[in-house]
Amino acid sequence: MKLQRGTTPRAVQVDPHGVFANSELDLNEIEVYGFDYDYTLAVYTVEFHYLIYDLGRDWLINKFKYPKAIGELEYQPGFAIRGLHYDIKEGILMKIDLFHQIQFESVYRGLTPMKREDVERVYNGCYIPQNMIRPGGESSRTKQLNDLFSVPEICLISNVTEYFIKNNVPFNPEILFYDVQNAVASIHPIIHNTLNDSNIGTYLEKYSQLEGFLQRLKANGKGMFIVTNSPFKFLDVGMRYMLGADWQQFFDVVIVQARKPKFFTEHLRPFRIYDKETKSQLWEHVTSLEKGKVYVEGTVDQLQKMTGWVGHSVLYFGDQIYNDLADLTLNYGWRTGAILCELAHEIKISNSDDYRQTVGSMQTLQYLIEQTQDDDSRKGDVEQLLMERDALRKKSKSLFNPNFGSVFRTHHNPTYFSRRLFRYSDIYTSHVTNLMNYSLRHVYYPRRGLLPHELYMSSQN
Ligand SMILES: [Mg+2]
């Protein structure tokens, strides 16, 4: 994009396949590229979410003896979004912003939106205390939807909750939550065995640029590795589909069943060799990591010691901000990239005339409200302006998702999810292949943000 001096880029479109910087990142300094697998290298189709949902629902009926009628409750792909918080004790799904403020029009019990006064009664207002949402905290009673696998899971909980409420079936939301958690954990082996060479195309997207992306890294002497929580068989089916039978040629180290985030936080779990022939783990001492082999578990400490890969020369990509990226950023100084496939869709909406006009009108109304609110003689005008603004807020939200709006923002703040994204990732994008739009010498610069007390300076001035 070439800008003439003295013009303002009013109609600039944001590239849905761009790479965006939270912190300055110079690719010249990156010698090694690491990847998570699920939803990082591999992006699943909506059919995969149907599979998770259907197997989980059937498990509730067949193993936990839930009412057979829930077998008729179907997966609803657009119901929830990543990043929401689910209150396990109360059975409430909600969106909160970076200040832990509940977004009142994005709070659901089952499939039914909750009224503001009901939400305020449960939480004594609109603030969720830190100890309720701290990941892994003792007193944490919420689960955040950290990844896209959580979306069908929460839809199952919401559907069953709705069924119980509508049919006056007494139930404890905590028991339902843990039953669904157990059901989804129990179906993992079934899912891993369901995907095979003949049906993998139904469940996995194929990115034509992936091979070229890895080829370019390899040709430029970059190291590459995978650390995934999935088992080898599952990884292998997908990678063969995407890259062919010799996919391991690209990767110097392949680690499966890593049990992240423990892979990053524990220190005493040795690597084991996975024997591809016998499909079993060997018990010999692992003192070095060899290309072509597959390793199970281990720790990031050992990975660093055995490879010499440390600090700012490693860029690791993952889709789970907390499980994949937080520890690496905070404790190891690795550079990190978040892969968020919803991002491309959200950028396309933000680029639309409808969205831009709505936000423009909303900002104009907000300005008028600010200017007139202290004038007692114009109280009626302010009320009218507030109503018009709120109507536009609803519209801008529903363009992303009618129930919960954008993954990344509320009406005027970033979401809680975004706060962690900005803190724990250096760059973020919708897919790793988007890096093909940039050279390997590219420096990603964060945008100079506007602080509340700073003035917007147009290039026209
Ligand atoms: Mg993943």
Side-chain angles (χ1 to χ4, degrees):
M1 178 184 68
K2 198 168 181 181
L3 288 180
Q4 288 180 325
R5 185 181 292 274
T7 62
T8 305
R10 291 188 192 286
V12 169
Q13 299 280 297
V14 178
D15 181 1
H17 305 293
V19 175
F20 305 94
N22 297 320
S23 174
E24 188 170 314
L25 174 65
D26 182 354
L27 288 187
N28 262 317
E29 295 175 359
I30 304 301
E31 295 300 326
V32 185
Y33 288 71
F35 305 94
D36 166 52
Y37 174 66
D38 295 302
Y39 274 114
T40 298
L41 290 174
V43 176
Y44 295 94
T45 63
V46 72
E47 280 76 12
F48 194 62
H49 287 185
Y50 274 97
L51 180 68
I52 294 171
Y53 178 94
D54 290 347
L55 288 170
R57 181 193 57 194
D58 295 348
W59 194 275
L60 288 181
I61 297 169
N62 298 327
K63 302 287 180 182
F64 297 158
K65 306 302 174 198
Y66 274 58
K68 285 201 166 48
I70 70 165
E72 289 167 20
L73 308 175
E74 297 291 335
Y75 176 52
Q76 300 178 54
F79 173 69
I81 56 171
R82 186 209 302 248
L84 301 174
H85 281 79
Y86 182 72
D87 182 341
I88 297 164
K89 184 165 167 276
E90 296 288 341
I92 293 172
L93 182 62
M94 64 188 136
K95 180 173 171 180
I96 61 176
D97 73 5
L98 83 169
F99 298 114
H100 303 190
Q101 302 278 346
I102 301 167
Q103 302 302 293
F104 283 118
E105 283 161 4
S106 298
V107 184
Y108 281 70
R109 182 175 264 145
L111 305 176
T112 307
M114 285 181 73
K115 289 183 187 149
R116 179 176 180 145
E117 52 267 33
D118 293 336
V119 177
E120 287 180 322
R121 202 174 304 121
V122 173
Y123 298 107
N124 290 321
C126 62
Y127 178 74
I128 300 292
Q130 172 75 19
N131 66 2
M132 260 185 70
I133 50 179
R134 186 181 293 126
E138 284 296 314
S139 57
S140 169
R141 76 174 207 205
T142 58
K143 175 189 162 135
Q144 191 185 13
L145 276 57
N146 284 318
D147 63 16
L148 289 175
F149 293 138
S150 311
V151 171
E153 193 178 320
I154 208 69
C155 183
L156 179 55
I157 293 174
S158 302
N159 270 343
V160 178
T161 300
E162 186 76 8
Y163 171 85
F164 282 158
I165 292 171
K166 286 271 158 65
N167 292 282
N168 296 315
V169 179
F171 76 106
N172 180 341
E174 278 184 82
I175 292 175
L176 171 60
F177 175 81
Y178 289 113
D179 279 352
V180 171
Q181 290 267 290
N182 285 338
V184 171
S186 302
I187 62 172
H188 271 146
I190 303 171
I191 289 173
H192 291 150
N193 286 324
T194 300
L195 271 57
N196 56 46
D197 290 340
S198 58
N199 66 14
I200 187 71
T202 304
Y203 300 113
L204 207 56
E205 304 275 3
K206 202 167 193 174
Y207 282 77
S208 57
Q209 279 196 306
L210 182 60
E211 186 168 356
F213 167 66
L214 298 172
Q215 286 281 17
R216 185 176 74 158
L217 293 179
K218 191 179 172 195
N220 282 273
K222 305 296 182 186
M224 281 181 271
F225 67 96
I226 292 175
V227 179
T228 174
N229 285 357
S230 285
F232 179 74
K233 183 176 176 239
F234 189 70
L235 168 73
D236 188 44
V237 167
M239 293 300 268
R240 277 190 285 114
Y241 173 69
M242 294 189 291
L243 296 168
D246 60 345
W247 63 267
Q248 268 197 260
Q249 58 150 322
F250 290 112
F251 301 98
D252 301 281
V253 177
V254 174
I255 299 163
V256 300
Q257 293 168 257
R259 293 167 67 198
K260 291 176 284 184
K262 288 182 178 175
F263 183 82
F264 303 123
T265 56
E266 295 194 347
H267 303 282
L268 296 172
R269 295 185 318 144
F271 280 117
R272 298 184 65 160
I273 297 172
Y274 176 81
D275 186 337
K276 288 184 264 187
E277 297 301 318
T278 61
K279 298 181 174 52
S280 60
Q281 297 174 26
L282 306 181
W283 49 87
E284 63 192 69
H285 196 63
V286 175
T287 53
S288 63
L289 300 172
E290 295 172 35
K291 190 168 182 171
K293 290 192 172 174
V294 176
Y295 300 90
V296 176
E297 296 200 354
T299 63
V300 69
D301 279 340
Q302 292 169 79
L303 176 65
Q304 292 192 137
K305 277 195 194 114
M306 289 182 195
T307 58
W309 299 335
V310 286
H312 275 54
S313 65
V314 185
L315 173 58
Y316 183 75
F317 291 96
D319 66 300
Q320 291 202 38
I321 310 298
Y322 182 70
N323 283 358
D324 284 324
L325 310 180
D327 286 300
L328 288 174
T329 300
L330 292 174
N331 300 318
Y332 291 91
W334 290 24
R335 310 310 301 269
T336 53
I339 302 301
L340 310 161
C341 40
E342 311 94 311
L343 184 64
H345 171 67
E346 292 222 0
I347 291 172
K348 284 175 193 162
I349 291 169
S350 308
N351 282 338
S352 70
D353 288 345
D354 196 7
Y355 180 77
R356 289 187 172 190
Q357 282 161 10
T358 305
V359 172
S361 304
M362 212 158 62
Q363 285 175 325
T364 304
L365 287 170
Q366 187 68 49
Y367 176 77
L368 291 172
I369 291 163
E370 284 173 21
Q371 298 304 307
T372 51
Q373 62 181 331
D374 294 330
D375 184 347
D376 287 341
S377 68
R378 299 192 63 185
K379 267 188 178 168
D381 291 345
V382 174
E383 280 168 20
Q384 179 62 33
L385 291 169
L386 282 167
M387 277 170 56
E388 288 176 32
R389 184 205 63 180
D390 289 348
L392 290 173
R393 280 182 165 185
K394 273 185 196 159
K395 184 183 173 189
S396 68
K397 170 194 156 186
S398 65
L399 288 172
F400 293 106
N401 175 288
N403 304 329
F404 297 101
S406 163
V407 172
F408 302 96
R409 64 155 40 256
T410 65
H411 296 306
H412 42 245
N413 283 326
T415 54
Y416 182 88
F417 174 82
S418 284
R419 182 179 77 169
R420 298 173 102 204
L421 169 70
F422 300 152
R423 174 68 185 90
Y424 298 132
S425 65
D426 293 296
I427 55 174
Y428 65 101
T429 187
S430 60
H431 195 257
V432 286
T433 55
N434 294 340
L435 272 84
M436 286 293 273
N437 298 329
Y438 308 84
S439 78
L440 285 175
R441 303 179 312 279
H442 194 84
V443 182
Y444 296 102
Y445 296 106
R447 188 181 298 167
R448 181 186 163 89
L450 200 61
L451 301 174
H453 66 274
E454 290 177 334
L455 189 67
Y456 173 70
M457 283 181 284
S458 160
S459 58
Q460 281 182 322
N461 296 329

